[in-house]
């Protein structure tokens, strides 16, 4: 009974990753083609397409019981757990909606969003500090760590 539950859990998480991965890759790729500022952020956009493509591949692998799919799913979910901005450097990778808790400029912050995707590795003109933990990928990661 427990094995059946874990197999269903992997398939549900796999479907979630497949859908969000494909949508994220398409959205970032489309923005790459449709904006005049795309050349400035080309490395960031390529990295986003690659990460979301890997997320879709890992989801497909979970659904179809492919080798190493569980390992890559865990890694990709772990990459989505934390977002930070330190001294003008920003990192953020989220797929689908999120529930977030964290610290921004010394104050506690939280939020809920249905933002479809977000990816950024960039240098910004802001010297603020933030450290955000996203609870949805954290819960998915915990679920993935419990299955074999």
């Amino acid at each position: 009974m427990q094995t059946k539950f874990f197999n269903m859990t992997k398939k549900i998480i796999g479907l979630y990753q497949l859908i969000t991965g494909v949508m994220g890759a398409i959205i970032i790729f489309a923005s790459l083609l449709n904006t005049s500022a795309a050349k400035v952020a080309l490395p960031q956009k390529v990295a986003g397409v690659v990460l979301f493509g890997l997320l879709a591949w890992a989801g497909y692998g979970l659904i179809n019981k492919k080798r190493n799919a569980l390992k890559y799913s865990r890694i990709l979910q772990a990459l989505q757990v934390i977002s930070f901005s330190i001294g003008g450097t920003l990192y953020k990778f989220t797929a689908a909606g999120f529930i977030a808790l964290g610290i921004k400029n010394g104050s506690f912050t939280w939020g809920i969003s249905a933002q479809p995707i977000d990816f950024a590795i960039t240098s910004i003109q802001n010297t603020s500090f933030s450290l955000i933990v996203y609870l949805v990928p954290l819960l998915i990661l915990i679920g993935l760590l419990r299955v074999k």
Side-chain angles (χ1 to χ4, degrees), residues 2-146:
Q2 195 171 17
T3 304
K4 197 173 197 178
F5 172 75
F6 286 142
N7 284 336
M8 183 58 75
T9 300
K10 282 199 283 191
K11 287 187 183 220
I12 290 169
I13 292 172
L15 183 61
Y16 168 80
Q17 289 183 169
L18 179 62
I19 291 169
T20 57
V22 168
M23 288 185 63
I26 289 171
I27 290 169
I28 292 175
F29 188 72
S31 74
L32 181 64
L33 297 175
N34 292 331
T35 62
S36 60
K39 293 175 189 165
V40 175
L42 184 62
Q44 174 185 336
K45 292 189 184 258
V46 169
V49 170
V50 168
L51 278 174
F52 280 107
L54 286 171
L55 188 64
W57 174 84
Y60 173 82
L62 281 180
I63 293 167
N64 294 297
K65 300 178 183 177
K66 299 290 183 186
R67 197 176 113 184
N68 293 327
L70 184 59
K71 175 172 61 172
Y72 290 116
S73 291
R74 289 172 177 162
I75 292 167
L76 289 161
Q77 289 303 319
L79 287 173
Q80 295 179 62
V81 171
I82 293 178
S83 166
F84 65 86
S85 170
I86 300 172
T89 301
L90 170 70
Y91 169 79
K92 183 177 186 180
F93 171 38
T94 62
F98 60 80
I99 302 168
L101 301 172
I103 298 171
K104 248 185 194 173
N105 295 323
S107 299
F108 176 76
T109 186
W110 66 277
I112 298 173
S113 176
Q115 179 177 353
I117 59 108
D118 199 357
F119 177 76
I121 299 178
T122 188
S123 186
I124 54 177
Q125 297 294 332
N126 195 339
T127 59
S128 66
F129 169 80
S130 68
L131 181 63
I132 309 294
V133 175
Y134 296 103
L135 299 180
V136 172
L138 180 61
L139 293 174
I140 291 172
L141 178 60
I142 290 168
L144 288 169
L145 291 171
R146 297 189 72 188

